[in-house]
Amino acid sequence: MCGIVGYFGNREAAPLLVQGLSKLEYRGYDSAGVAIIENGDIKVTKCKGRLKNLENKLEENPIHGLVGIGHTRWATHGQPSDVNSHPHSNKTETISVVHNGIIENYLELREWLTSEGYEFKSQTDTEVIPNLVDYFYEGDLLKAVIKATEKMEGSYAIGVIAKNEPDKLVAVRKDSPLIVGLGKEESFVASDIPAVLAETRDVYLLNDKEFVILTKEGVKIVDANETEIKKDIYKVTWDADAAEKGGFEHFMLKEIHEQPKAVKDTMASRIAVGQPIKLDDINITKEQIQKLNKVYIVACGTAYYAGVVGKYAIEKLARIPVEVDIASEFKYRDPIIDENSLMIIVSQSGETADTLSALRLAKEKGARVIAVTNVVGSTASREADDILYTLAGPEIAVASTKAYLTQLTAMYIIALFFAEQKGTVSTEKLEEIKTEMLNLPDKVETALSCKEEVKALAEATKNEKDMFFLGRGVDYAVALEGALKLKEISYIHAEAYAAGELKHGPIALIEDGTVVIALGTQEELFDKMVSNVQEVVSRGAKVYAVAQMGHEEVKKTADSVVYVPKVMDLLAPIVAVIPLQLFSYYMAIAKGCDVDKPRNLAKSVTVE
């Protein structure tokens, strides 16, 4: 979840580190800091709070140097504080480290190092790393880092500098993302590409247990035996502006408006009328699909709700049983999974720790794994058997919007591909669905026109403490996502229920004035949904509905209705979620919340 940046070159490190960290703010953080080699000594500045606090400190007490590391921390061990902030150093301040991930055996290491005379100031797991490196240091920083990692269990991406080797920066990754940026007579390490994009488009994507050494001679990558590894340069093709707000007030609003393009890009070259579905990085055969006895869709948060829609789509079109699992729970229930099972993991970053854990379990059991991810070169994309990239582009706001829509699109593409291979849907029906999907970008654009009425609704309900979201069929999946968005960025308690479940308990919560958001985009279930709306209205609820154009009768029951373009039932979530995204956004604005960086949340959750 944290962001790390490192710089080695011939320019002042401090402003470049801060610039890089500012591009990683989307990952979520509660403190920030830098360590820079100045006149042969390591100087550290760090503090709790936003990056601006660090900038202010550096303005008051500048650090001048050409080599440094920086960090934005999201607390896992120890509360947010100046002391717990990164970078962390050994007692003599000759070695300094930034770390993304979690050292699972840190208590054991801490106890051992204490017995060896080492002292600890913080509550963090990270502080064991500089002390470990110090313990093994005998004049060669790389060798010391290698030996330290042999002792460490867990996940990490770390950057290390040492007073005794001021012209060197060493970094390594295991289960946490790390890239290398290649400039002219300078180089960078970072958790993600946006951190270096202002300076270079040439990067190396590091694999697990690959060590990188930045020196005046350039960049060298080696394995744990110090054998050099040659890598191809990955050329970043998306614009730097893609990581900026582009004139919108917030990244989230910008990304909501980017959804028509994101959906279109995700379908491009994969879906064409009259042509078979083409999946560039999925090599599963027709025979393998025929043998599948079960599909597991495993994900967290918003991606999980995309998986719920995926279950409906795959079961309806391909007639394969599907289970949708929360990644953090999957391996602990001893799932029945074998070589005839398929796992689809869904992760925007491709670095979600719980999801990667499920992926690895599936592979141990002999199952095939398809990764649906937005990040080229991510751990998920490298470890899965097959990959379907969602092509949403960089998503900066912590609350996911365009990544979610592209995940839905990916689910439909996979379902269509399976149906095509199995012959479970007629050619005519497949072509109808493809045509509908290709029209979705325009319909998403149309759905965005509800902004003003949704904004007015948010203003009218901004003082509510609780809200309920109702839906049937795939509308229930959309209701789950709508409730999550509202919780994430406006901090309003919201719950989603399958509307037919109301009578089995939740209806007891409905009283005079209770706000209910009702989704009614399913033709087959519309009349039943109207009946469920009447049930809450009769108990005093205020109902705000989302329905497809043409359903005027819902106005007779609901207090207000937002209409979205008409789409076949199965594909309706793509347009139905748009008003809910906008509602959560404008609600957060009305309540004065930090839209792009909601409290306690992180974009990429890289610890279990």
Side-chain angles (χ1 to χ4, degrees):
M1 286 164 282
C2 316
I4 67 174
V5 179
Y7 174 75
F8 186 102
N10 50 24
R11 291 190 284 168
E12 288 282 338
L16 291 168
L17 294 174
V18 171
Q19 171 185 275
L21 292 175
S22 72
K23 303 304 180 183
L24 297 177
E25 287 188 286
Y26 68 90
R27 297 172 71 87
Y29 70 103
D30 50 51
S31 57
V34 297
I36 297 169
I37 297 178
E38 180 184 65
N39 299 324
D41 290 319
I42 296 177
K43 298 293 181 66
V44 176
T45 296
K46 58 182 183 176
C47 55
K48 176 184 173 182
R50 291 297 185 195
L51 191 59
K52 186 64 179 176
N53 297 347
L54 176 65
E55 291 183 74
N56 292 339
K57 277 197 166 189
L58 288 171
E59 285 179 9
E60 293 170 7
N61 297 288
I63 307 175
H64 300 288
L66 310 180
V67 181
I69 49 179
H71 189 271
T72 49
R73 175 181 185 253
W74 189 84
T76 56
H77 293 75
Q79 64 184 4
S81 68
D82 290 357
V83 172
N84 288 332
S85 304
H86 295 214
H88 287 286
S89 305
N90 60 338
K91 181 179 179 180
T92 56
E93 298 185 347
T94 57
I95 294 168
S96 194
V97 170
V98 290
H99 164 227
N100 177 17
I102 185 167
I103 307 303
E104 294 177 356
N105 63 334
Y106 85 100
L107 288 174
E108 174 189 330
L109 292 171
R110 188 168 178 144
E111 185 177 344
W112 169 62
L113 287 165
T114 300
S115 72
E116 294 290 331
Y118 287 88
E119 298 178 5
F120 293 84
K121 300 176 182 177
S122 77
Q123 301 166 295
T124 69
D125 56 331
T126 299
E127 197 178 0
V128 302
I129 303 175
N131 289 299
L132 264 181
V133 174
D134 178 79
Y135 179 85
F136 290 114
Y137 187 75
E138 296 178 346
D140 189 320
L141 183 59
L142 173 62
K143 289 183 186 298
V145 172
I146 291 173
K147 288 180 179 178
T149 59
E150 290 171 356
K151 288 279 190 181
M152 290 156 40
E153 297 173 9
S155 62
Y156 50 81
I158 59 177
V160 189
I161 55 175
K163 174 180 178 177
N164 293 339
E165 296 179 65
D167 293 328
K168 183 182 291 182
L169 191 160
V170 174
V172 60
R173 68 155 284 172
K174 176 183 175 289
D175 298 332
S176 287
L178 193 67
I179 61 100
V180 180
L182 307 171
K184 293 182 179 179
E185 298 183 354
E186 62 184 1
S187 46
F188 306 80
V189 294
S191 299
D192 205 353
I193 288 172
V196 304
L197 197 54
E199 304 301 329
T200 180
R201 293 180 174 276
D202 294 341
V203 302
Y204 288 137
L205 305 173
L206 295 184
N207 293 316
D208 281 353
K209 288 298 186 81
E210 290 184 343
F211 299 79
V212 59
I213 309 99
L214 311 184
T215 64
K216 292 178 179 177
E217 284 69 45
V219 173
K220 185 177 181 180
I221 301 171
V222 300
D223 63 17
N225 297 315
E226 297 190 49
T227 302
E228 188 166 2
I229 298 169
K230 296 297 183 183
K231 280 188 171 289
D232 293 331
I233 293 174
Y234 172 66
K235 296 262 186 192
V236 181
T237 55
W238 35 274
D239 294 333
D241 286 346
E244 301 298 334
K245 293 178 184 175
F248 289 93
E249 187 176 355
H250 297 93
F251 282 113
M252 183 178 176
L253 187 59
K254 173 179 178 282
E255 287 156 9
I256 288 172
H257 281 268
E258 288 173 341
Q259 289 179 124
K261 182 179 185 299
V263 171
K264 183 176 182 179
D265 289 348
T266 299
M267 290 190 293
S269 80
R270 293 163 174 167
I271 295 181
V273 175
Q275 299 293 324
I277 300 291
K278 296 177 183 177
L279 299 181
D280 27 297
D281 291 303
I282 294 182
N283 301 307
I284 189 170
T285 66
K286 181 177 181 178
E287 292 70 29
Q288 289 168 325
I289 294 171
Q290 294 285 0
K291 289 180 181 178
L292 292 178
N293 54 27
K294 184 169 287 186
V295 173
Y296 292 90
I297 302 177
V298 181
C300 303
T302 286
Y304 172 81
Y305 298 141
V308 175
V309 175
K311 171 184 169 69
Y312 279 92
I314 293 171
E315 288 190 340
K316 185 176 182 66
L317 299 179
R319 309 308 296 165
I320 305 171
V322 179
E323 286 190 27
V324 189
D325 275 87
I326 295 170
S328 59
E329 293 293 324
F330 184 75
K331 70 179 180 180
Y332 301 107
R333 68 176 182 86
D334 195 16
I336 302 170
I337 185 167
D338 58 28
E339 64 276 4
N340 291 321
S341 305
L342 172 72
M343 177 180 285
I344 302 173
I345 66 161
V346 189
S347 169
Q348 188 280 141
S349 67
E351 303 292 349
T352 308
D354 291 317
T355 307
L356 292 175
S357 178
L359 179 159
R360 289 159 186 159
L361 175 64
K363 297 203 74 172
E364 285 174 15
K365 300 283 188 180
R368 192 177 190 93
V369 179
I370 296 175
V372 175
T373 182
N374 192 41
V375 180
V376 176
S378 61
T379 301
S381 70
R382 294 198 300 274
E383 294 191 11
D385 298 289
D386 307 283
I387 314 155
L388 185 60
Y389 289 116
T390 50
L391 305 180
E395 187 178 65
I396 307 304
V398 168
S400 181
T401 52
K402 65 174 179 173
Y404 171 70
L405 243 63
T406 59
Q407 288 165 354
L408 292 181
T409 305
M411 291 291 102
Y412 293 131
I413 292 171
I414 290 171
L416 282 171
F417 176 72
F418 287 175
E420 202 171 65
Q421 296 297 308
K422 290 190 68 182
T424 49
V425 177
S426 69
T427 301
E428 292 75 19
K429 187 63 176 178
L430 283 172
E431 293 306 310
E432 179 189 354
I433 297 171
K434 288 178 189 176
T435 300
E436 279 273 278
M437 286 190 68
L438 291 170
N439 289 330
L440 283 173
D442 289 339
K443 293 188 176 184
V444 172
E445 192 71 58
T446 301
L448 288 168
S449 64
C450 70
K451 280 192 304 183
E452 291 306 315
E453 55 187 308
V454 171
K455 184 177 181 180
L457 174 60
E459 187 63 35
T461 57
K462 66 182 179 182
N463 294 320
E464 299 295 328
K465 302 297 182 184
D466 302 276
M467 292 191 190
F468 297 95
F469 288 68
L470 305 179
R472 302 187 74 120
V474 286
D475 271 349
Y476 171 52
V478 178
L480 287 165
E481 170 60 11
L484 176 64
K485 279 292 157 288
L486 194 65
K487 285 181 277 195
E488 282 181 317
I489 65 170
S490 73
Y491 319 140
I492 292 174
H493 173 253
E495 295 294 337
Y497 292 102
E501 275 291 289
L502 275 176
K503 295 183 290 292
H504 300 280
I507 202 165
L509 298 170
I510 304 299
E511 58 187 10
D512 191 40
T514 300
V515 172
V516 174
I517 310 296
L519 288 138
T521 71
Q522 302 296 290
E523 288 288 345
E524 292 182 2
L525 297 167
F526 184 76
D527 291 339
K528 292 183 181 298
M529 189 63 204
V530 170
S531 295
N532 296 136
V533 169
Q534 290 171 338
E535 288 170 355
V536 296
V537 168
S538 68
R539 287 159 177 82
K542 293 180 181 177
V543 176
Y544 303 99
V546 176
Q548 295 200 31
M549 292 174 180
H551 276 302
E552 296 297 319
E553 61 269 38
V554 75
K555 288 182 178 179
K556 299 174 184 177
T557 307
D559 292 84
S560 177
V561 184
V562 174
Y563 287 101
V564 294
K566 190 171 180 58
V567 183
M568 66 170 58
D569 281 8
L570 188 62
L571 304 179
I574 293 273
V575 294
V577 78
I578 301 297
L580 305 189
Q581 292 174 337
L582 290 167
F583 181 60
S584 62
Y585 172 79
Y586 286 116
M587 184 66 80
I589 295 296
K591 291 174 66 66
C593 301
D594 191 339
V595 173
D596 288 333
K597 296 184 281 290
R599 67 189 184 200
N600 301 333
L601 296 180
K603 185 67 175 176
S604 179
V605 184
T606 55
V607 296
E608 292 185 59

